[in-house]
Amino acid sequence: NIKYDYIVLHRHGVTLQGIDFDTMVAGYLLNPTRRANNLDALAREYLQHTPISYEEVAGKGAKQITFDQVEVEAATTYSAEDSDLAMLLTHEQRPRLTSYELDRLFHEVEMPLVEVLADMESNGIRIDAEILEEQKKILTRQIDDLRQSVFDTVGEPFNLDSPKQLADVLFNRLGLPVIKKKKTGPSTCLL
């Protein structure tokens, strides 16, 4: 998560340059459906290793302390492992990006965005509230029109946000073919 480090260091007057690799970004590119792309999840998947958790060194809940209060030896072990895992993951992920022909996307699009996103998070972004509100009204009207069109096609209103009701309409009333099934019945999601 080099973006986090970039933000923290930038707050203290240090600007990183030559950022080359982020295991979280690579993890996402290699498997966009993975729930977590943090160091712990990636280390378990690629290295079959469960890292020391932050809670193990800092505690959790009301008893959690800030990292500057962690004993130096524990903080050193935790930090060294994080650094080592990031290096080991880089060695695992870099050739995979190449084999999936994702290295150009990674280096030319995703990695340059890390700094841009970090700057946006640090500085915020400026928006024109009036234009945003007008766009909201336009999109809301379009959504309402589409909903009504669906209801007109079916002949009655139903909860479009209910997968069960949507499946009933699509597959039972309209007779559309089932492309994908789940344990609970036909899937309304194609992904």
Side-chain angles (χ1 to χ4, degrees):
N1 189 3
I2 195 70
K3 180 169 60 85
Y4 174 80
D5 297 330
Y6 180 96
I7 292 169
V8 170
L9 291 168
H10 194 66
R11 283 185 191 145
H12 295 280
V14 177
T15 302
L16 293 178
Q17 294 181 340
I19 298 171
D20 180 60
F21 205 89
D22 186 315
T23 59
M24 285 181 70
V25 173
Y28 174 77
L29 280 181
L30 291 167
N31 184 356
T33 61
R34 182 187 302 106
R35 287 187 174 265
N37 285 297
N38 59 34
L39 192 66
D40 290 2
L42 295 172
R44 282 191 294 274
E45 179 180 337
Y46 288 102
L47 307 172
Q48 293 72 50
H49 175 76
T50 301
I52 301 166
S53 71
Y54 185 79
E55 287 78 20
E56 287 178 68
V57 294
K60 66 184 202 178
K63 295 182 179 183
Q64 188 174 62
I65 58 177
T66 57
F67 199 69
D68 62 330
Q69 297 171 316
V70 173
E71 291 181 24
V72 172
E73 187 175 316
T76 301
T77 302
Y78 174 80
S79 300
E81 182 186 53
D82 268 13
S83 297
D84 188 43
L85 291 174
M87 181 191 66
L88 293 171
L89 283 168
T90 299
H91 293 308
E92 284 290 319
Q93 292 174 318
R94 196 181 297 271
R96 291 173 195 241
L97 289 170
T98 301
S99 71
Y100 290 123
E101 298 181 1
L102 293 169
D103 37 4
R104 190 164 166 223
L105 174 64
F106 178 80
H107 289 289
E108 294 179 18
V109 177
E110 297 294 339
M111 287 307 298
L113 278 176
V114 169
E115 188 174 335
V116 171
L117 293 172
D119 288 341
M120 287 173 66
E121 284 184 34
S122 295
N123 302 325
I125 58 170
R126 184 176 211 151
I127 60 166
D128 186 322
E130 289 178 24
I131 290 175
L132 195 59
E133 185 60 34
E134 188 57 37
Q135 289 176 339
K136 177 183 172 186
K137 289 177 185 175
I138 292 168
L139 290 171
T140 300
R141 277 193 298 270
Q142 290 175 344
I143 290 169
D144 290 344
D145 290 347
L146 289 169
R147 279 186 191 279
Q148 191 57 51
S149 175
V150 169
F151 298 155
D152 291 345
T153 300
V154 173
E156 65 180 293
F158 65 97
N159 183 357
L160 276 167
D161 297 324
S162 165
K164 186 176 181 179
Q165 290 182 33
L166 184 59
D168 179 56
V169 167
L170 293 174
F171 307 118
N172 296 333
R173 294 189 200 180
L174 298 177
L176 296 176
V178 175
I179 296 173
K180 184 177 173 184
K181 282 192 174 190
K182 300 186 302 185
K183 292 178 184 176
T184 56
S187 175
T188 57
C189 179
L190 296 177
L191 300 176

